[in-house]
């Protein structure tokens, strides 16, 4: 099954992970491109992370003892900068 | 005169796609079937357009508010979400729930199971092209909806569970219990007649037998849960491990084949079992208060709670910090079931593809999630040989 992640969008994959030997509690997935990216769900094992990084997605892992919110907000702020820059470039063109 | 010759016919793969928004689809999703000679060779289901980020919205909300928000995850199993979210907090805070409140939660849970299963059956019959059956089930379902309205004060979102018990407005007096009992008699009578008529209809049975088979091994591999898993012969029901069901005697229904017929009959038989549990609850509901308000809010580590809902296993998890939710995760059963429906449609005739989708009881609004069950002591994933073991709460 595929999940469509919109351009300049960030989601947490916590609810899409199968808990079989998966070392992380949550994954934050960021699409920094101007295109919608489709990726495979559910997440069954750790190899999923590298496969999807290779697709151009930013995958940030969140462990049990880490703050999900801090990481999520940091990513969102970074994404906002990229998005604003992309919008600016569009206007110039 | 030149002789006319028909062109050599070649079988080519055709892509048939539907969605994201389509009048025939109840919810927004995209499905692509790759068809060759009218047989589905491959299928791809894409979701994500309905993603609302409810877990993200829950971050930092007071626990009580976050619990109410979870009810918005799904319009069919709304009670299950608020029940499990509240249960998560209760497990973390060590709140003791009055016995009467547990009974009312079970009553709401089983009524919800009935209305969900009836919706499934009605939808299944509609896709089969049997509108008479479909309308007949919707008529039966209306009785259940009236009961839910009577107990919860609403037809879709009831807001029944709160930390420490249930809302006082959901308490059941003698008149309400009598109405419940009377309505269940009617539902059971109608359901028996329907089941009898349905199973004797040779046209319907021939249409659904051996279609969209999900083998047991594949279902386990995809982490399918709930009735869709039990329809493949796996005797796994989380209600056997839930303390709420300790005082209830019920059977775990299974079906052998994992096809559309098994799935449809599974829901019919489970509905009878739900009525059985409801009767026990009505008969044995204890007296007493329905909520314990004297609990203390403390910080907790990550809490996990699993319950059995109409479509499978529902998982809620979060930590509490200063009375607020941190690191929330909700995993609904539909995700695995959607994976199964993609699998079931491969190899089927294109006319049966829609039936294969419906048989897995998908709920895209639930944002489709999945879980695995572990044995508490050995920390190993449960398989067929370990069924019925303790569940890690």
């Amino acid at each position: 099954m595929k999940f469509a992640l919109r351009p300049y969008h960030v989601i947490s994959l916590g609810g899409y992970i199968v808990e079989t030997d998966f070392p992380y509690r949550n994954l934050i997935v960021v699409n920094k491109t101007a295109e919608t990216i489709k990726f495979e769900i559910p997440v069954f094992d750790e190899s999923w992370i590298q496969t999807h990084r290779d697709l151009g997605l930013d995958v940030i892992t969140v462990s049990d003892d880490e703050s999900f919110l801090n990481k999520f907000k940091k990513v969102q702020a970074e994404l906002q900068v990229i998005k604003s820059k992309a919008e600016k470039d569009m206007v110039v063109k | 005169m030149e002789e006319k010759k028909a062109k050599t016919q070649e079988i080519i793969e055709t892509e048939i796609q539907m969605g994201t928004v389509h009048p025939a689809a109840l919810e927004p999703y995209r499905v692509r079937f790759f068809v060759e000679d009218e047989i589905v060779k491959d299928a791809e289901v894409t979701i994500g357009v309905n993603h609302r980020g409810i877990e993200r919205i829950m971050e930092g909300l007071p626990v009580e508010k976050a619990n109410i928000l979870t009810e918005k995850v799904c319009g069919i199993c709304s009670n299950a979400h608020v029940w499990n979210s509240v249960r998560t907090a209760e497990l973390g805070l060590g709140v003791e729930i009055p016995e009467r409140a547990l009974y009312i939660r079970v009553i709401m849970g089983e009524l919800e199971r009935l209305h969900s299963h009836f919706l499934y059956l009605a939808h299944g019959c509609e896709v089969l092209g049997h509108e008479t059956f479909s309308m007949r089930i919707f008529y039966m379902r209306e009785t259940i909806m009236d009961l839910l309205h009577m107990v919860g004060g609403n037809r879709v979102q009831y807001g029944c569970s709160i930390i420490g018990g249930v809302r006082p407005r959901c308490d059941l007096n003698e008149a309400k219990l009598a109405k419940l009992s009377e309505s269940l008699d009617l539902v059971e009578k109608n359901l028996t007649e329907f089941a009898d008529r349905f199973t004797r209809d040779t046209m319907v049975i021939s249409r659904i037998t051996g279609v969209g088979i999900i083998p047991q091994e594949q279902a386990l591999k995809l982490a399918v849960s709930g009735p869709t898993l039990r329809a493949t012969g796996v005797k796994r029901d989380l209600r056997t491990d839930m303390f709420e069901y300790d005082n209830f005697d019920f059977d775990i229904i299974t079906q052998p084949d994992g096809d559309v017929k098994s799935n449809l009959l599974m829901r019919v038989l489970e509905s009878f079992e739900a009525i059985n549990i409801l009767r026990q609850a009505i008969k044995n509901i204890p007296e007493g208060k329905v909520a314990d308000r004297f609990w203390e809010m403390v910080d907790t580590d990550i809490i996990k709670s699993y319950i059995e809902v109409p479509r499978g296993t529902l998982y809620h998890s979060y930590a509490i910090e200063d009375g607020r939710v941190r690191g929330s995760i909700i995993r609904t059963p539909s995700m695995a079931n959607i994976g199964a429906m993609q699998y079931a449609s491969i190899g089927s005739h294109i006319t049966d593809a829609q039936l294969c989708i419906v048989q897995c009881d998908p709920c895209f609004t639930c944002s489709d999630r999945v879980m695995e069950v572990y044995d508490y002591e050995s920390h190993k994933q449960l398989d067929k040989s370990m069924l019925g073991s303790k569940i890690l709460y």
Side-chain angles (χ1 to χ4, degrees):
Chain A
M1 182 175 36
K2 298 276 199 289
F3 189 100
L5 184 57
R6 285 176 284 153
Y8 305 115
H9 202 67
V10 51
I11 65 158
S12 69
L13 269 191
Y16 301 85
I17 301 167
V18 181
E19 304 156 60
T20 336
D21 301 325
F22 196 73
Y24 304 108
R25 176 170 169 80
N26 210 336
L27 293 175
I28 298 168
V29 185
V30 195
N31 181 4
K32 291 180 175 172
T33 70
E35 307 252 327
T36 300
I37 296 182
K38 277 202 288 187
F39 59 84
E40 195 68 42
I41 50 166
V43 183
F44 281 104
D45 53 50
E46 215 177 339
S47 65
W48 186 97
I49 299 173
Q50 195 50 49
T51 315
H52 287 76
R53 279 181 181 153
D54 295 345
L55 265 181
L57 289 163
D58 264 22
V59 183
I60 293 127
T61 57
V62 185
S63 305
D64 270 2
D65 51 352
E66 289 177 317
S67 168
F68 162 75
L69 204 58
N70 282 352
K71 287 198 166 184
F72 194 88
K73 282 188 172 172
K74 192 179 165 201
V75 166
Q76 249 184 346
E78 284 170 8
L79 192 65
Q80 197 55 45
V81 173
I82 297 168
K83 197 178 171 184
S84 311
K85 193 172 174 292
E87 279 169 0
K88 221 175 186 178
D89 291 348
M90 284 274 282
V91 173
V92 171
K93 278 179 192 172
Chain B
M1 194 178 161
E2 196 182 339
E3 191 185 348
K4 285 182 181 175
K5 274 186 181 173
K7 282 182 185 171
T8 314
Q9 289 199 343
E10 286 175 17
I11 297 168
I12 53 164
E13 189 180 85
T14 313
E15 182 188 331
I16 298 174
Q17 54 172 315
M18 189 187 89
T20 305
V21 177
H22 191 275
L26 300 177
E27 294 165 289
Y29 67 100
R30 185 170 187 237
V31 61
R32 296 166 78 194
F33 291 120
F34 300 93
V35 182
E36 203 178 287
D37 200 15
E38 298 202 359
I39 302 295
V40 178
K41 294 289 177 188
D42 201 359
E44 182 193 277
V45 178
T46 307
I47 61 159
V49 287
N50 212 20
H51 191 76
R52 291 160 292 168
I54 285 184
E55 289 114 308
R56 173 66 189 86
I57 302 168
M58 281 173 73
E59 285 289 329
L61 277 185
V63 179
E64 295 90 334
K65 274 193 178 180
N67 288 339
I68 294 166
L69 185 64
T70 59
E71 202 167 36
K72 311 286 184 262
V73 172
C74 183
I76 299 168
C77 46
S78 54
N79 175 65
H81 280 283
V82 75
W83 178 6
N84 201 23
S85 188
V86 161
R87 194 174 185 267
T88 310
E90 285 168 349
L91 289 173
L93 301 172
V95 181
E96 272 196 31
I97 308 118
E99 193 83 351
R100 188 175 177 83
L102 290 180
Y103 270 71
I104 294 172
R105 283 184 186 179
V106 168
I107 288 172
M108 286 302 280
E110 292 308 313
L111 284 174
E112 197 169 60
R113 189 178 313 279
L114 280 175
H115 105 72
S116 174
H117 282 3
F118 285 179
L119 183 72
Y120 171 91
L121 289 168
H123 191 198
C125 289
E126 190 191 5
V127 172
L128 272 172
H130 212 307
E131 284 197 12
T132 318
F133 276 166
S134 178
M135 287 301 138
R136 190 166 164 176
I137 300 161
F138 271 126
Y139 176 70
M140 281 195 280
R141 183 173 172 267
E142 209 49 36
T143 313
I144 303 296
M145 297 308 287
D146 283 346
L147 292 177
L148 283 165
H149 183 265
M150 179 188 78
V151 184
N154 206 336
R155 278 171 66 91
V156 178
Q157 302 197 330
Y158 327 104
C160 180
S161 296
I162 49 169
I163 298 176
V166 296
R167 287 186 197 280
R169 65 171 160 77
C170 298
D171 196 5
L172 297 165
N173 56 27
E174 284 302 318
K176 284 182 179 177
L177 289 170
K179 169 79 178 164
L180 263 170
S181 188
E182 188 186 302
S183 299
L184 286 176
D185 289 344
L186 178 68
V187 170
E188 191 176 40
K189 179 178 163 284
N190 288 342
L191 186 61
T192 309
E193 285 171 6
F194 166 76
D196 189 46
R197 173 72 180 83
F198 186 82
T199 50
R200 280 166 190 269
D201 196 309
T202 47
M203 230 164 74
V204 169
I205 293 298
S206 63
R207 174 86 168 79
I208 59 177
T209 307
V211 172
I213 296 171
I214 306 164
Q216 196 179 89
E217 294 73 29
Q218 191 63 28
L220 288 166
K221 196 176 156 197
L222 288 167
V224 172
S225 63
T228 311
L229 179 66
R230 293 194 285 277
T232 66
V234 179
K235 205 170 182 180
R236 184 186 291 175
D237 190 330
L238 212 58
R239 282 179 293 178
T240 53
D241 292 280
M242 288 169 65
F243 61 84
E244 289 89 340
Y245 285 87
D246 279 351
N247 299 329
F248 295 93
D249 182 26
F250 60 94
D251 291 331
I252 301 173
I253 309 291
T254 55
Q255 287 291 305
D257 301 324
D259 58 355
V260 177
K261 182 187 166 192
S262 288
N263 272 286
L264 284 167
L265 291 180
M266 181 75 218
R267 268 67 176 192
V268 172
L269 297 172
E270 269 205 357
S271 299
F272 283 117
E273 211 51 44
I275 292 171
N276 170 30
I277 294 172
L278 280 165
R279 286 231 171 88
Q280 290 176 49
I282 294 164
K283 190 181 168 196
N284 302 324
I285 187 166
E287 290 297 325
K289 58 182 182 179
V290 292
D292 176 10
R293 297 282 191 175
F294 301 102
W295 47 268
E296 194 184 348
M297 184 63 82
V298 290
D299 288 359
T300 68
D301 287 335
I302 289 165
I303 321 149
K304 295 176 179 180
S305 173
Y306 300 105
I307 63 168
E308 182 79 16
V309 298
R311 288 158 194 240
T313 305
L314 175 65
Y315 163 63
H316 278 241
S317 170
Y318 55 75
I320 302 174
E321 203 180 290
D322 295 333
R324 289 169 190 273
V325 167
R326 292 285 177 228
S328 170
I329 290 178
I330 303 170
R331 198 160 300 154
T332 61
S334 289
M335 175 149 149
N337 298 351
I338 292 171
M341 93 192 182
Q342 191 174 287
Y343 180 88
S345 52
I346 297 170
S348 299
H349 198 276
I350 185 65
T351 48
D352 293 332
Q354 181 68 7
L355 206 52
C356 295
I357 288 181
V358 174
Q359 72 152 334
C360 296
D361 208 0
C363 181
F364 298 98
T365 312
C366 275
S367 304
D368 25 74
R369 293 158 161 105
V370 74
M371 63 155 288
E372 288 286 343
V373 185
Y374 283 83
D375 185 82
Y376 180 70
E377 279 150 11
S378 64
H379 293 282
K380 281 184 181 163
Q381 187 190 345
L382 285 185
D383 59 22
K384 278 188 288 180
S385 62
M386 298 164 74
L387 298 178
S389 304
K390 291 172 192 167
I391 303 299
L392 180 64
Y393 284 107

